[in-house]
């Protein structure tokens, strides 16, 4: 497979999200990114676990709260599911007044 520049790969994913009506608004994307930036996972080992932008977008990570420090993945998944449901409810409320 040919090497794709990181910026081009992220742009491709961003465009695909747009075609699928799955692209977040900028405030929502930045809010999700800010949560991850403060997470212990991303701060660990000088940022070793920060994903490429394309992967952040592909995995729709802005929809998930990062795992808490020391939290196992099963617990994190359950908490993320609840977080996503809460955020979707807030968005629906904001959009439909």
């Amino acid at each position: 497979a040919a090497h794709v520049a990181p910026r081009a790969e992220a742009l491709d994913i961003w465009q695909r999200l747009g075609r699928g009506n799955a692209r977040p608004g900028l405030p929502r994307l930045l809010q999700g990114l800010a949560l991850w930036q403060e997470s212990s996972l991303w701060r660990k080992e000088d940022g070793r676990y920060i994903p490429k932008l394309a992967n952040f977008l592909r995995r729709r990570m802005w929809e998930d709260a990062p795992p808490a420090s020391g939290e196992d993945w099963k617990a994190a998944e359950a908490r993320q599911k609840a977080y996503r449901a809460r955020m979707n409810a807030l968005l629906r409320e904001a959009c439909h007044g």
Side-chain angles (χ1 to χ4, degrees), residues 64-68 71-83:
D64 296 326
E71 183 177 41
D72 72 29
W73 283 104
K74 196 168 198 166
E77 238 172 48
R79 190 176 45 73
Q80 287 171 351
K81 193 174 184 178
Y83 173 83

Side-chain angles (χ1 to χ4, degrees), residues 34-46:
L35 277 176
W36 280 96
Q37 281 179 306
E38 295 303 314
S39 73
S40 59
L41 186 66
W42 279 23
R43 291 171 174 265
K44 190 176 184 177
E45 296 179 37
D46 292 324

